[in-house]
Amino acid sequence: PLHVAVRNGYRPVAKLLLDKGANVDCQCLSLTEYMGGNWHIVDGDSRYLEAAEKADKIRSVDNLDATPLMVALEEGDVGMAEFLLERGAYVNVRGAAGKNALHVALEEGLTELAGALLEKGADATAGHKEMHGTLLHHYAGRGRVPYLKLLLRYVPQGAVDAREKTRGMTPLHLASQRGKGPVCSLLLASGADK
C-alpha cells in the first residue's frame, strides 16, 4: 500500500501508513504494473501483459524490489522523496538490479535531490547490474559533466582511477574512448592517473 500511495502522490495516505507502522524501506516483491488507475500483480500471465502493452496502458515499475523512495524518484515527485527522507528512508537499499535511490535520482535528472542523497550517505561509487563499473564510469562515458562534478565531491580518494570489472577501464579511459574532452579535463583536474 505504501508503494501505491507514493506512486500516486498521496502524501497524507503515505503519512498515515507510516504513522501506523509501515516500513519506509519496504521493497516490492513482484513485478507490479499500473493499468487504467488500478494496480495488478502480474505473475507470469504473458497474455495479460502483452494485451496491456499493445493497448499502451501499462507503466512498469522499473526497478524490482524498489523502495518507496525509489518509486517517488521514478515519478519525479521531489516533495514525496523529501518526505520519505524526513521519515528515515535509507538511501542505500538496493533493488534486484542493484540500483539504489541515487541511481534512480540521477537517471531521472534530479541532481539537486541526488546531492541530498549523497549528503545522507548514498554510495557515490555504487554501480548496478547494467553498469560495468561505478557511477563515475557510467557518467564519464556519457559525458555528463554536472553529474560527475557532483559525484566527485563524494567519492573516496582513488575512486577516480577505479577499474571496470570486465575490461579494466577507468573513467578516464571511457571518456577518452568516446571523445568526451570536458570530462577528460574534469577527471584530470580531479587527480585521474593519465
Side-chain angles (χ1 to χ4, degrees):
L2 183 57
H3 287 84
V4 177
V6 168
R7 181 158 303 276
N8 288 293
Y10 300 139
R11 196 175 319 174
V13 175
K15 181 183 181 317
L16 173 68
L17 291 166
L18 291 169
D19 288 347
K20 294 294 183 179
N23 180 349
V24 72
D25 294 319
C26 59
Q27 292 178 272
C28 297
L29 297 178
S30 65
L31 180 60
T32 308
E33 305 292 337
Y34 179 81
M35 294 188 54
N38 297 311
W39 282 83
H40 301 274
I41 303 300
V42 179
D43 289 323
D45 186 349
S46 62
R47 292 169 297 137
Y48 173 82
L49 190 56
E50 288 166 10
E53 287 172 342
K54 285 179 186 170
D56 198 30
K57 292 182 179 177
I58 198 161
R59 284 180 18 196
S60 67
V61 175
D62 292 334
N63 191 0
L64 292 180
D65 298 327
T67 64
L69 177 58
M70 291 179 202
V71 171
L73 294 165
E74 287 172 357
E75 292 297 315
D77 190 340
V78 173
M80 181 67 80
E82 289 171 342
F83 165 74
L84 293 168
L85 287 169
E86 289 168 10
R87 294 300 297 255
Y90 180 59
V91 296
N92 284 314
V93 175
R94 288 180 175 251
K99 289 183 181 181
N100 63 22
L102 180 59
H103 295 122
V104 178
L106 291 171
E107 288 169 5
E108 298 298 326
L110 302 170
T111 52
E112 190 172 310
L113 200 48
L117 294 170
L118 288 161
E119 284 293 321
K120 291 194 173 282
D123 184 354
T125 61
H128 58 72
K129 288 183 182 177
E130 296 169 15
M131 294 181 179
H132 294 286
T134 67
L135 283 166
L136 291 178
H137 290 91
H138 187 70
Y139 291 115
R142 285 162 178 75
R144 303 298 297 268
V145 172
Y147 288 12
L148 291 167
K149 283 182 178 178
L150 176 64
L151 292 167
L152 285 166
R153 294 194 318 240
Y154 295 92
V155 295
Q157 188 172 3
V160 72
D161 291 321
R163 295 185 175 275
E164 291 178 315
K165 293 175 187 162
T166 55
R167 299 176 293 175
M169 297 179 84
T170 67
L172 185 57
H173 283 119
L174 293 172
S176 298
Q177 179 185 43
R178 296 180 183 157
K180 307 295 182 186
V183 172
C184 292
S185 295
L186 175 62
L187 292 171
L188 289 168
S190 300
D193 184 353
K194 57 189 174 300

